[in-house]
Amino acid sequence: GLPADDLSIENGIILLNSTKTPLIIDPSTQATEWLKLHLKESGCTVDILNQQDPKFTTQLELAIRFGKTLIIQENDSLEGVMFPILRKDLLHQGPRWVVNIGEKQIDYTESFKLYMCTRDAFIEI
């Protein structure tokens, strides 16, 4: 788990209650491991991806469409496909919301939650 100091506890609370997508800079991966365990114990369906994964875009689309919780690890920089999601550039089409991922419009499910993790303190954003 996380250390019991005040800063770690405050960071954990902010991380779990944020409405924005958190970027976790975690050189020791302790916070990332805690997040995975906490989300699984709370009953969330958690998918874990690396940005270098060849099926990254497909897995991202599925997580958005089905309202999963997604943890993206080993972020060295941000891919262009991530910008509409991070900005929440949602379009209203009738009764549904969609987001553009590359050339596709993907149904956006409000239960979708994204966490981004890196060990690199000098990530290019």
Side-chain angles (χ1 to χ4, degrees), residues 1 4 13 20 27 35 46 49 61 64 69 72-73 75 80 103 105 108 110 113-114 120 124:
I13 291 168
K20 303 286 183 185
L35 178 64
V46 180
L49 278 178
E61 291 171 2
I64 293 168
T69 300
I72 301 175
Q73 301 182 127
N75 286 291
E103 300 293 319
Q105 283 193 336
Y108 184 88
E110 288 187 40
K113 186 78 174 161
L114 177 63
D120 183 5
E124 295 178 29

Side-chain angles (χ1 to χ4, degrees), residues 91-98 105-108:
L91 305 168
H92 201 237
Q93 289 188 346
R96 64 190 183 123
W97 290 96
V98 296
Q105 283 193 336
I106 304 298
D107 289 339
Y108 184 88

